[in-house]
């Protein structure tokens, strides 16, 4: 007989701040998390009593909490699979449907309480590997963003139906939704950049489709608030598009995971090759040049042997972030396998490809990877890489030939003493 899968139980010890993994993060991250958390609590307490609370408001809060519970319990299986697929990567969630509806329907104090309830219930029922300080920071960003959006809504006096009755009210409602999204998303991107410095902030904004779905969730929250005021018996119907959005997210993430290296977030070898083939086909039609750069971290096995594979994975991520930050948005960076990476430099001749490769070598040598105390502590320094390059059409006219030429040049760099760049000669 098959054994039942054990359910994850809520462990209150995880809430003990002394056990937080936050204290192992860089000082800048610790300070930022604490500042935002304290600011959110102080701001929430300061504005909680601004609007009076009536009996009808408590009923509305109960209705929204009931909808939240149904939503979470219905989508829990999907969200847990999404958490596994998006391991180590942020993903857009749909809790904002309820928190934004609450902001439109409830007095500000209850709306902020609903944010806390939403995060707490989602954490206890969905997350399988909760990191407490990340959840408190996420909740804090939503609290701050909600207060900012409320300030925009107050530009039009009256209740919700009065606010949205005309074009001015509609514009204010849209402005409030955009304000909430910009503040929330901006604070999240700010923290991501603090955790992994070196990559330009605009590369951390996420995919445009994720942004569109996030804004769509806010729009659905506004629709839910209007329906709750006019025809509340139709509320269950709005759960259908919510679940459809969950399914769409899951399919999108599985498709993305199939093309992404899980350790570094770069394109995997297959996805990188597809992009390189398309670029090469375009150049054959229109003319032009490109380059292939192959990068191999020197003595990587020694890093794994000395520090362990978890630290080795952190080194891979650091090198991946360095490569990604040092090339243009339309260049393609992928993990070729093991400690090897590959870069497609579009619209570049041999000289520019060689200059780019030398810059990558230099920046990798400047990388420092902090080892958490649980993994032994310390800092990994002195990374080096051997790099080989090949250019189209000088070295070869097809992708396989370019990769073989770049790989041959890479091994020439290895045999030549490592920590150097070798360029494949013309055919």
């Amino acid at each position: 007989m098959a054994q039942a899968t054990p359910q994850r139980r809520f462990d209150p010890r995880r809430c003990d701040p002394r056990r937080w993994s936050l204290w192992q993060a860089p000082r800048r991250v610790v300070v930022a998390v604490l500042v935002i958390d304290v600011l959110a609590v102080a701001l929430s307490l300061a504005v909680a009593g601004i609007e009076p609370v009536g009996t009808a408001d408590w009923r509305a809060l109960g209705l929204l909490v009931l909808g939240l519970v149904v939503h979470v319990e219905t989508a829990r299986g999907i969200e847990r699979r999404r958490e596994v697929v998006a391991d180590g990567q942020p993903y857009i969630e749909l809790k904002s449907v309820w928190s934004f509806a609450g902001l439109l329907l409830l007095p500000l104090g209850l709306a902020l309480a609903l944010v806390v309830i939403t995060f707490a219930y989602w954490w206890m029922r969905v997350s399988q590997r909760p990191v407490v300080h990340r959840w408190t920071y996420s909740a804090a960003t939503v609290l701050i963003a909600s207060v900012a959006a409320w300030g925009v809504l107050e530009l039009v006096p009256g209740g919700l139906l009065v606010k949205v009755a005309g074009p001015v009210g509609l514009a204010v409602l849209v402005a409030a939704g955009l304000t909430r999204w910009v503040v929330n998303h901006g604070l999240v991107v700010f923290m991501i950049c603090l955790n992994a410095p070196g990559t330009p902030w605009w590369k951390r904004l996420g995919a445009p489709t994720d942004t569109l779905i996030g804004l769509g969730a806010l729009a659905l929250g506004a629709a839910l608030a209007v329906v709750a005021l006019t025809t509340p018996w139709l509320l269950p119907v709005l759960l259908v598009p919510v679940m459809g959005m969950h399914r769409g997210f899951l399919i999108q993430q599985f498709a993305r995971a199939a093309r992404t290296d899980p350790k570094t977030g770069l394109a995997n070898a297959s996805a990188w090759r597809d992009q390189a083939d398309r670029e090469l086909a375009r150049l054959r039609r229109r003319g032009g040049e490109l380059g292939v750069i192959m990068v191999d971290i020197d003595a990587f096995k020694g890093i794994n042997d000395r520090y362990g594979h978890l630290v080795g994975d952190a080194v891979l991520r650091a090198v991946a972030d360095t490569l990604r930050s040092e090339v243009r948005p339309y260049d393609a960076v992928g993990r070729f396998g093991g400690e090897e990476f590959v870069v497609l430099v579009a619209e570049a001749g041999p000289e520019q490809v060689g200059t780019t490769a030398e810059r990558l070598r230099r920046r990798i040598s400047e990388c420092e990877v902090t080892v958490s105390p649980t993994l032994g502590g310390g800092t990994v320094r002195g990374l080096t890489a051997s790099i080989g390059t090949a250019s189209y059409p000088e070295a070869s006219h097809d992708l396989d030939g370019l990769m073989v030429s770049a790989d041959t040049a890479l091994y020439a760099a290895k045999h030549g003493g490592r920590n150097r760049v070798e360029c494949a000669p013309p055919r």
Side-chain angles (χ1 to χ4, degrees):
M1 180 182 295
Q3 293 183 344
T5 302
Q7 297 291 320
R8 183 186 70 84
R9 296 182 178 180
F10 172 66
D11 184 358
R13 291 178 298 176
R14 292 195 182 99
C15 297
D16 184 351
R18 293 172 299 180
R19 300 170 61 94
W20 287 6
S21 58
L22 170 65
W23 314 123
Q24 301 170 8
R27 183 182 300 273
R28 61 181 180 276
V29 174
V30 175
V31 171
V33 168
L34 294 179
V35 167
I36 296 299
D37 285 356
V38 170
L39 176 62
V41 172
L43 188 61
S44 299
L45 293 177
V47 302
I50 287 181
E51 296 176 320
V53 178
T55 303
D57 298 321
W58 288 106
R59 286 199 296 268
L61 175 63
L63 184 64
L64 290 173
V65 171
L66 177 61
L68 165 69
V69 170
V70 173
H71 174 194
V72 171
E73 296 304 323
T74 306
R76 186 172 55 163
I78 296 176
E79 284 301 309
R80 285 185 171 179
R81 288 195 292 273
R82 287 185 64 214
E83 184 181 55
V84 173
V85 173
D87 188 26
Q89 303 175 34
Y91 62 91
I92 304 295
E93 42 71 29
L94 301 178
K95 297 190 292 292
S96 54
V97 169
W98 304 100
S99 58
F100 192 61
L103 185 65
L104 298 174
L105 283 175
L106 304 171
L108 183 57
L110 290 187
L112 298 179
L114 179 60
V115 171
V116 176
I117 293 170
T118 300
F119 271 86
Y121 193 78
W122 200 283
W123 177 36
M124 290 187 292
R125 297 296 293 162
V126 174
S127 183
Q128 302 177 83
R129 291 160 293 180
V131 180
V132 180
H133 75 267
R134 292 181 183 174
W135 279 81
T136 62
Y137 182 85
S138 296
T141 64
V142 175
L143 289 172
I144 294 172
S146 296
V147 174
W150 172 82
V152 175
L153 289 170
E154 287 302 294
L155 295 176
V156 175
L160 175 61
L161 296 181
V162 175
K163 291 180 186 293
V164 301
V168 175
L170 177 61
V172 169
L173 180 62
V174 171
L178 289 175
T179 299
R180 186 195 181 283
W181 183 85
V182 168
V183 174
N184 175 219
H185 200 63
L187 289 173
V188 170
V189 171
F190 167 71
M191 182 55 62
I192 292 174
C193 291
L194 280 185
N195 268 296
T199 302
W201 62 269
W202 59 85
K203 292 188 178 181
R204 302 290 189 178
L205 293 178
T209 52
D210 289 347
T211 298
L212 185 61
I213 294 177
L215 293 173
L218 296 178
L220 190 58
L224 188 149
V226 173
V227 169
L229 282 178
T230 55
T231 50
W233 56 274
L234 284 177
L235 281 177
V237 176
L238 290 183
L239 285 176
V240 176
V242 172
M243 295 308 301
M245 293 172 76
H246 276 287
R247 290 285 180 184
F249 266 140
L250 187 62
I251 293 172
Q252 179 184 357
Q253 280 191 273
F254 274 122
R256 188 179 301 168
R259 300 178 59 82
T260 303
D261 173 61
K263 289 186 178 180
T264 63
L266 298 177
N268 60 25
S270 176
W272 182 89
R273 187 183 182 91
D274 287 344
Q275 186 171 348
D277 279 332
R278 289 194 300 271
E279 181 63 21
L280 199 55
R282 186 185 69 83
L283 289 183
R284 289 195 185 104
R285 292 192 306 269
R286 301 181 181 180
E289 298 176 299
L290 63 73
V292 170
I293 300 175
M294 297 196 74
V295 179
D296 186 280
I297 303 174
D298 293 327
F300 184 71
K301 182 178 183 301
I303 295 174
N304 279 335
D305 292 343
R306 179 178 178 183
Y307 296 100
H309 289 276
L310 293 178
V311 175
D313 290 346
V315 169
L316 291 175
R317 287 190 292 271
V319 172
D321 288 341
T322 297
L323 297 177
R324 195 160 29 201
S325 67
E326 289 297 322
V327 300
R328 300 160 300 182
Y330 50 85
D331 294 330
V333 184
R335 185 179 175 208
F336 195 64
E339 63 270 25
E340 288 191 346
F341 300 85
V342 62
V343 182
L344 178 76
V345 187
E347 302 291 348
E351 183 177 350
Q352 184 179 350
V353 173
T355 301
T356 301
E358 180 59 33
R359 185 174 70 250
L360 295 177
R361 185 201 63 78
R362 188 171 60 253
R363 288 285 287 112
I364 291 172
S365 69
E366 297 169 357
C367 280
E368 293 186 357
V369 180
T370 302
V371 181
S372 70
T374 56
L375 298 177
T379 302
V380 179
R381 296 185 178 90
L383 296 176
T384 64
S386 299
I387 300 178
T389 76
S391 295
Y392 168 88
E394 288 81 6
S396 178
H397 284 82
D398 60 76
L399 185 58
D400 285 335
L402 287 172
M403 295 183 70
V404 169
S405 296
D407 194 46
T408 301
L410 185 152
Y411 276 94
K414 287 279 189 187
H415 294 310
R418 300 181 178 177
N419 192 27
R420 58 189 296 164
V421 174
E422 291 286 346
C423 302
R427 292 188 307 169

